[in-house]
Amino acid sequence: MTQPKNKVVIFLGPPGAGKGTQAERLAAEQHLVKISTGDILRDHVVRGTELGQQIKPMLDAGKLVPDDILIALIRDRLADMEGVRVIFDGFPRTRAQAEELDVLLEELGAPVDHVPLLEVPDELLIERIVARGRQAAADGGTGRSDDTEEVARHRQDVFREQTQPLIDYYSARGHLEHVDGVGSMEEVYARILKSMK
Ligand code: ADP
């Protein structure tokens, strides 16, 4: 069999934009591995690993986990792969992470292909996150500890301050594609596919 072609997609967008769900579907349909750093970090917290204990307060407060931790996690993930067909959800989130990712991808001979940016107005984002938190509570679970209005607002501020600069970073490289994130899941998914043509 021929080696599958490398493909690297980086999903950008504020918390609550629906990146995770859309990335999941894109991964399934295009045979990509979804790498969600939020999921990886939450899994460490649930399992109570040493790293999990260290980062739990940061996740609960909606603060970013230090770059060196994230970069080590991603380095490990990519090292295990044969052929790099990935979609990043929630990574990179800082300029330092983006630069380090470029170094890693260069070593692997798998440059970035697409960077869709899901755009959703601020107030809608907070509404969606708070609704997700309430729904989880109503379902009898505790949901994500960071899905409260206060922490959600802080996550938006962190996005604006730390992650927004990545928009310029990828835009300067000609990879950025703006996608309107308002509408049904179907509509948004169709726009994402179109942006990647
Ligand atoms: P959100 O819905 O807020 O985008 P994520 O599931 O992507 O949530 O991330 C949840 C939390 O995990 C973040 O608030 C942060 O504490 C931590 N985190 C996830 N990815 C990163 C990253 N690339 N760099 C630093 N911290 C991260």
Coordinates of all heavy atoms in Angstrom, one line a residue, residues 8-49:
V8 N -1.8 18.3 7.7 CA -1.9 18.9 9.0 C -2.9 20.1 9.0 O -2.8 21.0 8.2 CB -0.5 19.5 9.4 CG1 -0.5 20.3 10.7 CG2 0.6 18.4 9.4
V9 N -3.9 20.0 9.8 CA -4.9 21.0 9.9 C -4.9 21.5 11.4 O -4.8 20.8 12.3 CB -6.3 20.4 9.7 CG1 -7.4 21.5 9.8 CG2 -6.4 19.8 8.3
I10 N -4.9 22.9 11.5 CA -4.9 23.5 12.8 C -6.2 24.3 12.9 O -6.4 25.2 12.2 CB -3.7 24.4 13.0 CG1 -2.4 23.6 12.9 CG2 -3.8 25.2 14.3 CD1 -1.1 24.5 13.0
F11 N -7.0 23.9 13.9 CA -8.3 24.5 14.1 C -8.1 25.7 15.1 O -7.8 25.5 16.2 CB -9.3 23.5 14.7 CG -10.5 23.3 13.8 CD1 -10.8 22.0 13.4 CD2 -11.2 24.4 13.4 CE1 -11.9 21.8 12.6 CE2 -12.3 24.2 12.6 CZ -12.7 22.9 12.2
L12 N -8.4 26.9 14.6 CA -8.3 28.0 15.6 C -9.7 28.5 15.8 O -10.6 28.5 15.0 CB -7.5 29.2 15.0 CG -6.0 29.0 14.9 CD1 -5.4 30.3 14.4 CD2 -5.4 28.6 16.2
G13 N -9.9 29.1 17.0 CA -11.2 29.7 17.3 C -11.4 29.8 18.8 O -10.7 29.1 19.5
P14 N -12.2 30.8 19.3 CA -12.3 31.0 20.7 C -13.0 29.8 21.4 O -13.7 29.0 20.7 CB -13.2 32.3 20.8 CG -13.9 32.3 19.5 CD -13.0 31.7 18.5
P15 N -12.9 29.7 22.7 CA -13.6 28.7 23.5 C -15.1 28.8 23.2 O -15.6 30.0 23.2 CB -13.3 29.1 25.0 CG -12.1 29.9 24.9 CD -12.1 30.6 23.6
G16 N -15.8 27.7 23.0 CA -17.2 27.7 22.7 C -17.5 27.9 21.2 O -18.7 27.9 20.9
A17 N -16.5 28.0 20.4 CA -16.8 28.2 18.9 C -17.3 26.9 18.3 O -17.8 26.9 17.1 CB -15.6 28.7 18.2
G18 N -17.1 25.7 18.9 CA -17.5 24.5 18.4 C -16.4 23.7 17.6 O -16.6 22.8 16.9
K19 N -15.2 24.1 17.9 CA -14.0 23.5 17.3 C -14.0 22.0 17.5 O -13.8 21.2 16.6 CB -12.7 24.0 17.9 CG -12.3 25.4 17.6 CD -10.9 25.7 18.0 CE -10.7 25.5 19.5 NZ -11.3 26.5 20.4
G20 N -14.2 21.6 18.8 CA -14.0 20.1 19.1 C -14.9 19.3 18.3 O -14.5 18.3 17.7
T21 N -16.2 19.6 18.2 CA -17.2 18.8 17.5 C -16.9 18.8 16.0 O -17.0 17.7 15.4 CB -18.6 19.4 17.7 OG1 -18.7 19.9 19.1 CG2 -19.7 18.5 17.4
Q22 N -16.6 19.9 15.5 CA -16.3 20.0 14.0 C -15.0 19.2 13.7 O -15.0 18.5 12.7 CB -16.2 21.5 13.6 CG -17.4 22.3 13.8 CD -18.6 21.9 12.8 OE1 -18.4 21.1 11.9 NE2 -19.7 22.6 13.0
A23 N -14.0 19.4 14.6 CA -12.8 18.7 14.3 C -13.0 17.2 14.4 O -12.4 16.4 13.6 CB -11.7 19.1 15.4
E24 N -13.8 16.7 15.3 CA -14.1 15.3 15.4 C -14.7 14.7 14.1 O -14.2 13.7 13.6 CB -15.2 15.2 16.5 CG -15.5 13.8 16.9 CD -14.6 13.4 18.0 OE1 -14.4 14.1 19.0 OE2 -14.1 12.3 17.9
R25 N -15.6 15.4 13.5 CA -16.2 15.0 12.2 C -15.2 15.0 11.1 O -15.1 14.1 10.3 CB -17.4 15.9 11.9 CG -18.1 15.5 10.7 CD -19.5 16.0 10.6 NE -20.1 15.8 9.3 CZ -21.2 16.4 8.8 NH1 -21.8 17.3 9.6 NH2 -21.6 16.1 7.6
L26 N -14.5 16.1 11.0 CA -13.5 16.2 10.0 C -12.4 15.1 10.1 O -12.0 14.5 9.1 CB -12.8 17.6 10.1 CG -12.0 18.1 8.9 CD1 -12.9 18.3 7.7 CD2 -11.3 19.4 9.2
A27 N -12.0 14.8 11.3 CA -11.1 13.7 11.5 C -11.6 12.4 11.0 O -10.9 11.7 10.3 CB -10.7 13.7 13.0
A28 N -12.9 12.1 11.4 CA -13.5 10.8 11.0 C -13.6 10.7 9.5 O -13.2 9.7 8.9 CB -14.8 10.7 11.6
E29 N -14.0 11.8 8.8 CA -14.3 11.7 7.4 C -13.0 11.8 6.6 O -13.0 11.3 5.4 CB -15.2 12.8 7.0 CG -16.6 12.6 7.5 CD -17.7 13.5 7.1 OE1 -17.4 14.4 6.2 OE2 -18.8 13.4 7.6
Q30 N -12.0 12.4 7.1 CA -10.7 12.6 6.3 C -9.6 11.7 6.8 O -8.4 12.0 6.4 CB -10.4 14.1 6.2 CG -11.5 14.9 5.7 CD -11.0 16.1 4.9 OE1 -9.9 16.5 4.9 NE2 -11.9 16.7 4.1
H31 N -9.9 10.8 7.7 CA -8.9 9.9 8.2 C -7.7 10.7 8.8 O -6.6 10.4 8.5 CB -8.4 8.9 7.1 CG -9.5 8.2 6.5 ND1 -10.2 7.2 7.1 CD2 -10.2 8.4 5.3 CE1 -11.2 6.8 6.3 NE2 -11.2 7.5 5.2
L32 N -8.1 11.6 9.7 CA -7.1 12.3 10.4 C -7.1 12.0 11.9 O -8.2 11.6 12.3 CB -7.3 13.8 10.3 CG -7.4 14.4 8.8 CD1 -8.0 15.8 8.9 CD2 -6.0 14.4 8.2
V33 N -6.1 12.1 12.6 CA -6.1 11.9 14.0 C -6.3 13.2 14.7 O -5.6 14.2 14.4 CB -4.7 11.3 14.5 CG1 -4.7 11.2 16.0 CG2 -4.5 9.9 13.9
K34 N -7.4 13.3 15.5 CA -7.6 14.5 16.2 C -6.8 14.6 17.5 O -6.8 13.7 18.3 CB -9.1 14.6 16.6 CG -9.4 16.0 17.3 CD -10.9 16.1 17.5 CE -11.3 15.6 18.9 NZ -12.1 16.6 19.7
I35 N -6.0 15.7 17.6 CA -5.2 15.9 18.8 C -5.8 17.1 19.6 O -5.6 18.2 19.1 CB -3.7 16.1 18.5 CG1 -3.2 14.9 17.7 CG2 -2.9 16.4 19.8 CD1 -1.7 15.0 17.4
S36 N -6.6 16.8 20.6 CA -7.2 17.9 21.4 C -6.4 18.0 22.7 O -6.5 17.1 23.6 CB -8.7 17.5 21.7 OG -9.1 18.3 22.8
T37 N -5.7 19.1 22.9 CA -4.9 19.2 24.1 C -5.8 19.4 25.3 O -5.5 18.9 26.4 CB -3.9 20.4 24.0 OG1 -4.6 21.6 23.5 CG2 -2.8 20.1 23.1
G38 N -7.0 20.0 25.2 CA -7.9 20.1 26.3 C -8.3 18.7 26.8 O -8.2 18.4 28.0
D39 N -8.6 17.8 25.9 CA -9.0 16.4 26.2 C -7.8 15.7 26.9 O -8.0 15.0 27.9 CB -9.4 15.6 25.0 CG -10.8 16.1 24.5 OD1 -11.5 16.8 25.2 OD2 -11.1 15.7 23.3
I40 N -6.6 15.9 26.3 CA -5.4 15.2 26.9 C -5.2 15.6 28.3 O -4.9 14.8 29.2 CB -4.2 15.4 26.0 CG1 -4.4 14.8 24.6 CG2 -2.9 14.9 26.6 CD1 -3.3 15.3 23.5
L41 N -5.3 17.0 28.5 CA -5.0 17.5 29.8 C -6.1 17.1 30.8 O -5.8 16.7 32.0 CB -4.9 19.0 29.8 CG -3.7 19.6 28.9 CD1 -3.8 21.1 28.8 CD2 -2.4 19.2 29.5
R42 N -7.3 17.1 30.4 CA -8.4 16.7 31.3 C -8.3 15.2 31.7 O -8.6 14.8 32.8 CB -9.8 17.0 30.7 CG -10.3 18.4 30.9 CD -11.7 18.6 30.4 NE -11.9 18.5 29.0 CZ -11.6 19.5 28.1 NH1 -11.3 20.7 28.5 NH2 -11.8 19.3 26.8
D43 N -7.8 14.4 30.7 CA -7.6 13.0 31.0 C -6.6 12.8 32.1 O -6.7 12.0 33.0 CB -7.2 12.3 29.7 CG -7.1 10.8 29.9 OD1 -8.0 10.2 30.3 OD2 -6.0 10.3 29.6
H44 N -5.5 13.6 32.1 CA -4.5 13.5 33.1 C -5.1 13.9 34.5 O -4.8 13.2 35.5 CB -3.3 14.5 32.8 CG -2.3 13.8 31.9 ND1 -1.3 13.0 32.5 CD2 -2.1 13.9 30.6 CE1 -0.5 12.6 31.5 NE2 -1.0 13.1 30.3
V45 N -6.0 14.9 34.5 CA -6.6 15.3 35.8 C -7.5 14.1 36.3 O -7.4 13.8 37.5 CB -7.4 16.6 35.6 CG1 -8.2 16.9 36.9 CG2 -6.6 17.8 35.2
V46 N -8.3 13.6 35.4 CA -9.2 12.5 35.8 C -8.4 11.3 36.3 O -8.8 10.7 37.3 CB -10.1 12.0 34.6 CG1 -10.8 10.7 34.9 CG2 -11.1 13.1 34.3
R47 N -7.3 11.0 35.7 CA -6.5 9.8 36.1 C -5.6 10.1 37.3 O -5.0 9.2 37.9 CB -5.6 9.3 34.9 CG -6.4 8.6 33.8 CD -5.6 7.9 32.8 NE -4.9 8.9 31.9 CZ -3.6 9.0 31.8 NH1 -2.8 8.2 32.4 NH2 -3.0 9.9 31.0
G48 N -5.6 11.4 37.7 CA -4.8 11.8 38.8 C -3.3 11.6 38.7 O -2.6 11.4 39.7
T49 N -2.8 11.7 37.5 CA -1.3 11.6 37.3 C -0.6 12.8 37.9 O -1.3 13.7 38.3 CB -1.0 11.6 35.8 OG1 -1.3 12.9 35.2 CG2 -1.7 10.5 35.0

